[in-house]
Amino acid sequence: MAERMIVIGGDAAGMAAASQARRRRDRADLEITAFERGHFTSYSSCGIPYWVSGQVTERDQLIARDPATFRDTFDIEVKLRHEVTAIDLDRREVVARDLAGGGEVRAGFDTLVYATGASPVVPAWAGGGVAGVFGMQTLDDGTALIDWLNGEPQPRRAVVVGGGYIGVEMAEALLSRGLTVELVEQADQPMATVDPDMGELVAEALRRTGIGIHTGLPVEGLAERDGRVSAVVTAEGPIPADVVVLGLGVRPNIALAEAAGLPIGPSGAVRVDRRMRVPGVPGVWAAGDCVESLHRVSGLPVHIPLGTHANKQGRVAGINIGGGYATFPGVVGTAVTKVCDLEVGRTGLRERDATAAGFEFVTVLAESTNRAGYFPGARPMTVKLIAERPSGRLLGAQIVGWSEAAKRIDALAVALWNGMTVDEMTALDLGYAPPYAPVWDPVLIAAREAVDALAHTGR
Ligand SMILES: Cc1cc2nc3c(=O)[nH]c(=O)nc-3n(C[C@H](O)[C@H](O)[C@H](O)COP(=O)(O)OP(=O)(O)OC[C@H]3O[C@@H](n4cnc5c(N)ncnc54)[C@H](O)[C@@H]3O)c2cc1C
């Protein structure tokens, strides 16, 4: 009899695991069924802001593989609109609610992949069901927002609450649709994923776009008229809103895992080993936004919910389930985004992370340009490096600048991954031609300045 594999969650991590397992084992050996509570499989949440803005014109462009493709090409059965409500580890079965047809389904498993992802943080003041308030995570969320924006009366004033990368990307998307946009952030700067000095550069760029920025301002509630949101209420008064988008971060979807007794780590996400097995629970695997990862610089477990990790982790789980051998070696926290033309990249530890992890360090903020100074289109670029003292090992890096800025973080991520010192980095053989970089690339200039800063510490 074929082994039965069940996947909970039909997006990046879950379907990567299913596809990889199928590549190695055919249906006679392994039956694969995925349960997905939404309407779609293998979709790109990362593309939602660009779909809302109109740069991506069709929703279906964001779908890599639909259930028919999984069935016909991969022999993987997908049960859409089925929400798994319980995992019974003793009976080795899951219980699912059929959200479309009604009723309950029970399915037995030998192998289970827990890939439920994460959900937007919804504060108590937003939980009352006022129409016009949206968290962004799934294509269903994107559909609901676009329907609201196209509906009558047509929203003209948007408030985005939370200035993380999703909030900032959504603010830009709403602005480009012609809405007025106010971004409200409790902290002193938007983009808490970078240090405040770099976050201030992002805030300046946001202001130049015409987005109203309100920092250091917690939201206290919502006002409504006829059941529709009409304002976001703050200590400084109401900010009128016809639509509110929440960008307050996400929490891993662990409720099912917790109820079943799967181990939850200190970051609040499901614990896994490096092969993506759930420790102590034979036959159960987990991957994606619902799990925690090892941070290779701090050595601490972290919850960094990104598509890049979800795809890799799902692949690792699937290879192992398929009988191969693969490991997920951890993360260094690399991420890129943009605010209109301004690009932002980060990797490794921020100053506050480095302090919390007990490192001694120096920081440098190197100002340079994206191209040779004389070349048309040369624009400023700021590179921040955090280097351990006295060893000089790179601990973290952040970049803010215009074209060619964000993806420069990849060179720094590779240096970080390999434990390079800033001294070693000064000799890196990076590409140079006037349209792409000054003769000393901004990354090399920053490394040289970090070497000088270390020398001045006298240790
Ligand atoms: C607006 C936005 C922009 C983003 N941009 C980027 C980016 O630029 N770069 C990047 O790396 N990452 C980005 N991300 C993050 C990225 O989309 C996620 O990290 C990735 O989707 C995680 O994949 P996952 O499969 O782990 O979880 P998810 O994509 O959340 O999928 C989990 C699935 O499980 C389903 N599910 C949950 N519980 C159940 C249940 N009980 N029963 C059945 N189904 C269930 C959900 O419906 C969902 O479809 C972005 C996210 C958003 C929202």
Side-chain angles (χ1 to χ4, degrees), residues 7-15 35-41 43-50 79 82-86 96 114-120 136-138 140-141 165-166 169-170 250 253 256 287-291 304-311 313 334-337:
V7 177
I8 311 176
D11 195 23
M15 297 321 286
F35 287 86
E36 166 55 51
R37 67 183 171 195
H39 290 88
F40 308 99
T41 50
Y43 51 89
S44 169
S45 302
C46 316
I48 292 174
Y50 310 101
K79 289 194 176 296
H82 278 70
E83 179 168 35
V84 174
T85 51
Y114 190 84
T116 54
S119 294
M136 277 303 116
Q137 182 66 27
T138 63
D140 290 316
D141 296 332
Y165 81 93
I166 291 179
E169 289 177 4
M170 291 306 301
V250 296
N253 290 328
L256 269 181
D289 279 7
C290 58
V291 306
I304 300 184
L306 286 175
T308 174
H309 309 320
N311 280 286
Q313 291 171 341
T334 310
V336 290
T337 190

Side-chain angles (χ1 to χ4, degrees), residues 235-251:
E236 291 177 5
I239 303 175
D242 308 315
V243 57
V244 173
V245 173
L246 303 175
L248 294 162
V250 296
R251 290 212 182 94

Side-chain angles (χ1 to χ4, degrees), residues 276 287-289 291-293 309-318 328:
M276 307 313 297
D289 279 7
V291 306
E292 62 181 25
S293 306
H309 309 320
N311 280 286
K312 292 186 192 102
Q313 291 171 341
R315 178 173 177 273
V316 166
F328 183 75

Side-chain angles (χ1 to χ4, degrees), residues 54-356:
Q55 278 172 279
V56 174
T57 51
E58 302 296 330
R59 182 197 62 204
D60 289 358
Q61 290 174 265
L62 301 183
I63 300 172
R65 285 181 191 144
D66 61 12
T69 309
F70 280 113
R71 184 189 57 232
D72 299 341
T73 313
F74 291 88
D75 239 334
I76 293 170
E77 189 188 349
V78 178
K79 289 194 176 296
L80 276 189
R81 306 290 288 134
H82 278 70
E83 179 168 35
V84 174
T85 51
I87 302 167
D88 187 332
L89 289 175
D90 296 328
R91 301 173 73 161
R92 308 289 287 178
E93 64 178 27
V94 296
V95 182
R97 192 183 306 132
D98 180 347
L99 300 175
E104 202 177 79
V105 177
R106 285 175 179 268
F109 64 83
D110 304 296
T111 298
L112 179 71
V113 177
Y114 190 84
T116 54
S119 294
V121 171
V122 180
W125 53 257
V130 179
V133 181
F134 301 88
M136 277 303 116
Q137 182 66 27
T138 63
L139 280 197
D140 290 316
D141 296 332
T143 305
L145 173 62
I146 289 173
D147 286 349
W148 182 263
L149 294 174
N150 290 335
E152 292 295 336
Q154 211 157 30
R156 292 200 318 274
R157 303 160 304 179
V159 173
V160 175
V161 183
Y165 81 93
I166 291 179
V168 164
E169 289 177 4
M170 291 306 301
E172 181 187 335
L174 293 161
L175 186 76
S176 67
R177 283 183 73 108
L179 284 88
T180 61
V181 183
E182 306 293 325
L183 190 146
V184 186
E185 165 60 57
Q186 182 168 335
D188 291 338
Q189 270 97 18
M191 290 300 276
T193 50
V194 295
D195 285 321
D197 44 6
M198 300 296 271
E200 188 46 41
L201 300 177
V202 180
E204 278 169 27
L206 278 167
R207 282 186 202 105
R208 280 196 298 269
T209 66
I211 295 171
I213 306 289
H214 309 260
T215 51
L217 187 62
V219 170
E220 295 171 349
L222 295 171
E224 63 176 288
R225 197 175 303 126
D226 303 328
R228 296 169 66 97
V229 69
S230 62
V232 161
V233 179
T234 73
E236 291 177 5
I239 303 175
D242 308 315
V243 57
V244 173
V245 173
L246 303 175
L248 294 162
V250 296
R251 290 212 182 94
N253 290 328
I254 58 164
L256 269 181
E258 252 182 331
L262 304 189
I264 307 300
S267 75
V270 176
R271 273 181 52 214
V272 284
D273 67 12
R274 55 178 52 228
R275 294 186 70 188
M276 307 313 297
R277 293 176 292 214
V278 176
V281 193
V284 179
W285 308 70
D289 279 7
C290 58
V291 306
E292 62 181 25
S293 306
L294 171 76
H295 198 294
R296 289 171 61 95
V297 182
S298 69
L300 298 171
V302 288
H303 180 237
I304 300 184
L306 286 175
T308 174
H309 309 320
N311 280 286
K312 292 186 192 102
Q313 291 171 341
R315 178 173 177 273
V316 166
I319 290 172
N320 288 317
I321 293 166
Y325 179 83
T327 59
F328 183 75
V331 302
V332 292
T334 310
V336 290
T337 190
K338 74 175 194 59
V339 183
C340 297
D341 291 341
L342 189 83
E343 300 183 5
V344 185
R346 55 101 58 222
T347 189
L349 307 182
R350 297 165 296 185
E351 285 191 50
R352 79 188 86 142
D353 307 319
T355 303

